[in-house]
Amino acid sequence: MSFSIFQRPTLVSKLKSEKFDLLIIGGGITGAGIALDGASRGLKVALVEKNDFAFGTSSRSTKLIHGGLRYLKQLEFGLVKEVGSERAVVHSLAPHLVVPEKMLLPLSEKKGMGYWLTSIGLKMYDWLAGVKAEDQRRMLTKVQTLKHEPLLLKDDVKGGAIYAEYRTDDARLTIEIIKTAVRHGATVLSYAKVKDFIYDNGVISCVKVDDQLTRESFAIQATVVVNAAGPWVDELREVNKSKSGKSLHLTKGVHVVVGWDRFPVKQAIYFNVDDGRMIFAIPRGRSTYIGTTDTTYNGDKDNVFTSKEDAEYVITAVNANFPSVNLKLEDLESSWAGLRPLIHEEGKSASELSRKDEIFESETGLISIAGGKLTGYRKMAERVVDLVNEKHFEDRKLMPCMSHKIKLTLSDFVDFVAVKRYTVLVAKRLIKLGLPEIKAKYLVENFGRQTEEILTSLESNFDSNSPELSLLKAELDFCLQNEMICSLQDFFVRRTGLMYFNIRIVKDHKESIAQEMRSKLGWSDEKLIKELDEINSLMVSITKFR
Ligand code: FAD
């Protein structure tokens, strides 16, 4: 199956001419999950996204598939149980992309929870999530904790714990779910913005869409419309004149990235901040990323960036807990900032708001879903499709939800050991070409078995004068053919993650990759200049903290 920009005209004409059972607005993880669930249960599904897939919050999270330890503190047992159990399911669907990550939780003399409360809390966390015996939490003495992480402030550590989580790449998880939905028959279009609804007897019968690439407007007919627009959910409820009762409360969270050698954490760590919050430091390839913050946000939802104040908050937290690191603003190589689409609760602060998802139904038939977490996408999707089924397709006898069995990326890895074995083989092929071994992990964690296609293209077009660019071009070819990239940013930010985790590569090769895209996609001079201007301005926004 090819899912590429070359197919756009066919997709648009299909969307214009056919009637769909279910139309989803928003190509973040929530919309992607609903599309896969609906299509795999026999519904005729369409999905439109106004920008690139995962442009919103789903490329700007902490990138953990986690149970949310802190929700235990807020006594949200149901949420912890659901998302906690989901971790192993999502890992089994894509073992290369949702990888086990042991988390170190140091206990401080002055801040956070005590030893026994933590021990009981983590035990409960494991129990609620049904964690396998070998992965269950292990309490550590002070000496053991400092051995796990020698950079910690020695006088403050009184012990610690190790517990199991999973790390992912949120944007890649989203695109793989989208591709799997397409394989199950969903019709999916990016750069297609919903502007309005058309009603028949007071009920939505069509949505009006503006194609952001061709500037054409058209209508799509559907029996049911689901609004999975994340932070933009309320905007669409306003267009639908159904924004009453509960509304969204957006909170901003930022992450900053430094070279791993600048903050060489031995493993992922979840540590206390002076204000009572906790933040993560997570090693990934050649980098360590740190976050997050949680502050109420009322600004421009399409342009969310890390401010100087946000960056300084994270730096101060690192330096207080890891004094020898002595991070400075100049050390930050990159950053991202995202918005949590949470449900407003009167009198609660940003970090006290529940992360539970909620479904709103309007009298005109619009079903909106907001809140929730990356980790719980599958269950959220199941609930939405169950509701759609119950309301509209009872007579069709749809299949029950099967998404717990549908492998993403046609992954045939039985487990993480198989992933590691494959990574070794990939490394051997890369080393032969003079590429660094670390690239094998990068390729396999991003693309899984699809790495084969990239390697085949690399080996046949290899230029020994520029091995790094050769690999990048091979990745670009794969993404152009299979992952619906339409712009430089789609490629560098959301398909490869290089904009965040290896910005030097973007700086060095953006012109060459732009030229390559120009020749493959027939870009004009103006388009080429516009693409380069946009990537340059994004680079400034994520590296200059104002
Ligand atoms: P989005 O990803 O924002 O998707 C909505 C999409 O709708 C957007 O792409 C947008 O462009 C599109 N859209 C909007 N309006 C229109 C329109 N008119 N027409 C067409 N398309 C439209 N969860 C975890 O499980 N683990 C974590 O580690 C984690 N960390 C987080 C850290 C931070 C800082 C934040 C902010 C969130 C974190 N979360 C985490 C939560 C998780 O990221 C979100 O719950 C999830 O990504 C929301 O996905 P979504 O699809 O609902 O929204």
Side-chain angles (χ1 to χ4, degrees):
M1 179 218 64
S2 145
F3 181 51
S4 85
I5 188 169
F6 306 113
Q7 289 178 313
R8 253 186 135 256
T10 316
L11 292 173
V12 171
S13 75
K14 190 162 185 217
L15 289 169
K16 278 184 195 165
S17 58
E18 297 184 12
K19 181 175 176 187
F20 294 86
D21 294 329
L22 171 61
L23 172 74
I24 300 145
I25 309 171
I29 192 101
T30 309
I34 298 169
L36 174 56
D37 194 301
S40 62
R41 287 162 83 173
L43 290 177
K44 182 167 175 173
V45 172
L47 180 148
V48 283
E49 160 58 51
K50 76 180 167 83
N51 198 294
D52 182 25
F53 305 114
F55 163 78
T57 310
S58 300
S59 56
R60 303 155 192 249
S61 75
T62 308
K63 308 182 192 297
L64 290 174
I65 292 298
H66 67 152
L69 188 55
R70 73 186 200 85
Y71 313 132
L72 205 56
K73 258 192 183 170
Q74 294 167 325
L75 307 180
E76 299 222 39
F77 299 118
L79 180 65
V80 174
K81 186 171 168 40
E82 178 171 302
V83 286
S85 329
E86 273 302 289
R87 295 176 304 177
V89 178
V90 188
H91 168 65
S92 74
L93 300 178
H96 65 283
L97 182 55
V98 178
V99 300
E101 181 84 51
K102 289 280 183 206
M103 190 71 70
L104 175 66
L105 180 75
L107 297 172
S108 151
E109 285 291 355
K110 301 189 203 91
K111 294 164 280 188
M113 290 201 291
Y115 187 90
W116 288 111
L117 208 56
T118 304
S119 174
I120 295 165
L122 284 173
K123 186 90 198 153
M124 195 156 168
Y125 189 61
D126 285 341
W127 175 73
L128 282 169
V131 174
K132 284 190 285 185
E134 64 267 30
D135 284 336
Q136 289 185 2
R137 69 101 174 88
R138 207 156 43 86
M139 295 306 291
L140 305 174
T141 63
K142 173 172 180 148
V143 173
Q144 287 168 327
T145 308
L146 288 171
K147 207 166 161 199
H148 275 277
E149 190 42 81
L151 294 171
L152 279 163
L153 176 61
K154 293 187 180 41
D155 293 345
D156 187 47
V157 174
K158 66 174 174 196
I162 292 275
Y163 66 103
E165 293 287 21
Y166 294 89
R167 179 171 52 79
T168 190
D169 185 292
D170 44 9
R172 286 229 48 96
L173 185 60
T174 305
I175 188 69
E176 295 297 1
I177 299 170
I178 291 273
K179 282 158 61 186
T180 312
V182 170
R183 270 201 297 279
H184 281 81
T187 306
V188 176
L189 191 70
S190 55
Y191 294 96
K193 180 173 183 174
V194 171
K195 297 291 278 191
D196 208 348
F197 300 100
I198 299 172
Y199 303 86
D200 188 3
N201 279 328
V203 175
I204 297 174
S205 59
C206 289
V207 298
K208 278 197 206 162
V209 170
D210 277 1
D211 187 329
Q212 304 295 293
L213 301 186
T214 61
R215 298 285 149 207
E216 186 195 6
S217 296
F218 59 93
I220 309 173
Q221 289 183 71
T223 307
V224 197
V225 177
V226 169
N227 168 12
W232 294 266
V233 154
D234 274 355
E235 268 181 25
L236 285 159
R237 288 171 78 210
E238 262 163 25
V239 174
N240 179 237
K241 300 192 179 49
S242 60
K243 197 183 146 224
S244 58
K246 291 191 178 179
S247 61
L248 292 195
H249 182 143
L250 303 183
T251 80
K252 177 186 177 192
V254 313
H255 291 82
V256 298
V257 184
V258 296
W260 181 81
D261 49 355
R262 202 49 206 83
F263 185 16
V265 276
K266 284 174 77 178
Q267 62 184 84
I269 180 163
Y270 189 34
F271 60 95
N272 291 292
V273 184
D274 279 345
D275 61 6
R277 294 186 62 256
M278 294 186 74
I279 65 177
F280 294 97
I282 302 173
R284 174 171 157 154
R286 55 158 302 284
S287 322
T288 299
Y289 65 98
I290 316 144
T292 178
T293 55
D294 203 352
T295 50
T296 294
Y297 185 82
N298 295 307
D300 176 1
K301 294 189 275 296
D302 289 285
N303 289 292
V304 192
F305 299 108
T306 306
S307 68
K308 191 165 176 231
E309 197 185 335
D310 296 325
E312 279 171 348
Y313 173 91
V314 177
I315 289 176
T316 307
V318 170
N319 292 342
N321 286 274
F322 309 88
S324 62
V325 174
N326 195 19
L327 271 191
K328 303 204 172 55
L329 217 46
E330 307 82 83
D331 293 315
L332 308 188
E333 294 182 354
S334 186
S335 72
W336 66 88
L339 298 176
R340 300 176 187 83
L342 305 176
I343 316 294
H344 182 71
E345 291 172 77
E346 216 42 61
K348 287 207 174 168
S349 72
S351 41
E352 285 168 343
L353 291 173
S354 169
R355 269 55 182 167
K356 266 199 300 244
D357 57 285
E358 279 202 40
I359 297 176
F360 312 111
E361 290 177 70
S362 83
E363 285 177 5
T364 56
L366 182 67
I367 297 177
S368 301
I369 175 148
K373 295 187 62 62
L374 200 70
T375 311
Y377 80 90
R378 219 183 49 78
K379 284 287 178 190
M380 286 164 70
E382 181 179 357
R383 278 195 283 279
V384 170
V385 177
D386 280 350
L387 177 73
V388 165
N389 181 24
E390 188 188 301
K391 297 237 146 174
H392 299 274
F393 304 108
E394 205 60 297
D395 52 324
R396 289 247 208 116
K397 304 247 176 304
L398 289 190
M399 282 185 273
C401 171
M402 301 189 298
S403 59
H404 58 291
K405 291 193 199 144
I406 303 173
K407 290 267 191 181
L408 305 173
T409 77
L410 296 174
S411 164
D412 60 351
F413 295 119
V414 283
D415 55 21
F416 194 55
V417 177
V419 175
K420 286 205 234 166
R421 237 184 269 130
Y422 179 60
T423 311
V424 173
L425 297 179
V426 172
K428 281 188 185 148
R429 283 167 78 178
L430 292 177
I431 290 166
K432 245 193 214 163
L433 296 171
L435 280 155
E437 187 179 350
I438 194 172
K439 284 281 179 199
K441 202 159 177 257
Y442 156 82
L443 283 174
V444 176
E445 285 190 2
N446 275 344
F447 299 101
R449 231 17 128 180
Q450 301 163 126
T451 301
E452 280 309 298
E453 257 179 78
I454 296 172
L455 288 180
T456 307
S457 152
L458 172 69
E459 284 159 352
S460 46
N461 301 302
F462 189 65
D463 175 359
S464 55
N465 293 320
S466 49
E468 190 171 83
L469 181 58
S470 295
L471 176 59
L472 214 48
K473 284 184 181 172
E475 289 173 64
L476 178 71
D477 272 354
F478 174 80
C479 294
L480 276 173
Q481 287 303 328
N482 303 287
E483 303 206 326
M484 192 55 87
I485 50 169
C486 302
S487 76
L488 272 181
Q489 291 194 24
D490 298 353
F491 179 64
F492 279 127
V493 180
R494 289 168 292 271
R495 298 303 182 278
T496 60
L498 290 168
M499 193 64 144
Y500 299 144
F501 299 108
N502 206 335
I503 198 167
R504 194 267 309 154
I505 292 190
V506 185
K507 280 182 196 150
D508 287 356
H509 302 297
K510 60 184 190 305
E511 272 91 8
S512 310
I513 291 297
Q515 287 295 352
E516 192 77 5
M517 286 186 83
R518 173 201 193 136
S519 77
K520 301 241 153 100
L521 303 180
W523 283 353
S524 63
D525 288 351
E526 293 75 35
K527 173 72 176 164
L528 183 81
I529 292 167
K530 184 168 169 279
E531 284 285 326
L532 282 168
D533 280 353
E534 283 175 2
I535 203 114
N536 288 334
S537 112
L538 178 66
M539 276 203 286
V540 171
S541 303
I542 64 176
T543 54
K544 302 269 174 279
F545 307 99
R546 301 193 179 110

